[in-house]
Amino acid sequence: MTYDRTLTNRLIDMVIYGILGVISACALLPFLYVFINSFSATEEPFPSEWTLSAYRYIFSTDKFLRSLAVSVYITLLGTALSLTATAFMAYGLSARSVPGRKWVLLMVLFTILFSGGMIPTYFVVRAVGLIDTLWALMIPGLMSGFYLLVMKDFFQSVPDELKEAAQIDGCHEVGIFFRIIIPLSLPALAAFGLFYAVGLWNQYFSAILYINDSTKWPVQVLLQQVIMQASGIGDSTQMGENMSFYGQSVRMAVIIVTTVPILLVYPFLQKHFAKGVLLGSVKG
């Protein structure tokens, strides 16, 4: 394939790169501003003195680490449960011979268009005894109807010849699922797993509704408390006499520490991400 490097094409490339550069700068500058100010020793917009006091302050007690551990726990376990439930149900619904399949799909579609609302959902969570438990952050949103339908369509696109060949070799239905379907579905599982993980990591409103015990708060709720109070997260008495911290630098440091873990997930899933999000968009 040859590329026409005419003057017009070069100008178009320059315009596109320029637009992308501006968009990238708009996305990165807020993070850069937060990162720089997390090391500020003053309340000025741009720091004139640098210090690590804000990071030492938020790590001076186990309060922040405990909330971070809660977020990691619900993100890892919740993502695994969501992916498992979505994959199993999608594979079941991909078989056209399953009785009542159309009715189940209609009910799934209904949940995409209409939700029960906050108050009915709260009463259901309370009725099943999930209030003040971490399960309340994972079970109510266990499956996304949209992801389920996309994954069901992908499973249907797998050639029947592969399944028939596996059956001839003596593979039963569960074996076909784990040995044939799952390896072929890794891009989809990686993409939807990232979506589920980001949603669980950023949970805030559900935790406010269902979790009363502050020791079970995820890090996003603690972040809200820090932003509101700018203190109360660490123990200033554990800091040296010469150390000082400011509310703004503490807020910025907490934002950095809560954002970095989920950003570190992207590079590991990036190679599957583009292919996974295109599932269902092309009909063969």
Side-chain angles (χ1 to χ4, degrees), residues 73-264:
Y73 175 77
I74 63 173
T75 300
L76 293 179
L77 181 60
T79 301
L81 293 175
S82 296
L83 277 181
T84 302
T86 304
F88 272 107
M89 188 168 178
Y91 184 62
L93 292 175
S94 68
R96 302 182 190 278
S97 59
V98 172
R101 172 176 172 272
K102 290 185 178 179
W103 289 106
V104 176
L105 289 175
L106 282 176
M107 286 190 285
V108 172
L109 184 62
F110 185 83
T111 63
I112 296 175
L113 301 176
F114 306 98
S115 67
M118 180 182 68
I119 295 176
T121 305
Y122 176 83
F123 282 123
V124 171
V125 171
R126 191 180 67 173
V128 297
L130 294 181
I131 293 295
D132 242 1
T133 70
L134 296 182
W135 295 108
L137 305 179
M138 297 181 277
I139 299 301
L142 185 65
M143 258 192 304
S144 162
F146 177 74
Y147 301 161
L148 174 69
L149 294 181
V150 174
M151 195 171 287
K152 187 265 301 177
D153 287 342
F154 174 73
F155 289 158
Q156 281 182 337
S157 68
V158 176
D160 292 335
E161 289 78 5
L162 285 176
K163 303 175 186 176
E164 293 170 0
Q167 288 174 338
I168 292 173
D169 289 338
C171 201
H172 48 72
E173 202 63 44
V174 177
I176 293 174
F177 178 72
F178 284 105
R179 295 182 181 181
I180 306 295
I181 302 299
I182 291 298
L184 292 174
S185 309
L186 287 181
L189 295 175
F192 295 139
L194 182 61
F195 294 151
Y196 278 129
V198 172
L200 288 164
W201 180 266
N202 290 330
Q203 279 206 83
Y204 163 70
F205 194 65
S206 297
I208 292 290
L209 279 178
Y210 306 137
I211 305 296
N212 300 316
D213 185 356
S214 62
T215 62
K216 298 177 182 177
W217 279 351
V219 72
Q220 304 299 339
V221 179
L222 189 66
L223 173 62
Q224 186 263 348
Q225 296 293 321
V226 171
I227 291 176
M228 294 290 291
Q229 303 174 9
S231 62
I233 185 176
D235 184 0
S236 59
T237 62
Q238 301 296 321
M239 304 178 72
E241 294 181 356
N242 296 328
M243 290 184 183
S244 61
F245 63 92
Y246 296 90
Q248 175 174 292
S249 60
V250 171
R251 288 192 291 267
M252 300 299 178
V254 172
I255 292 172
I256 291 296
V257 176
T258 55
T259 305
V260 167
I262 196 66
L263 288 179
L264 294 178

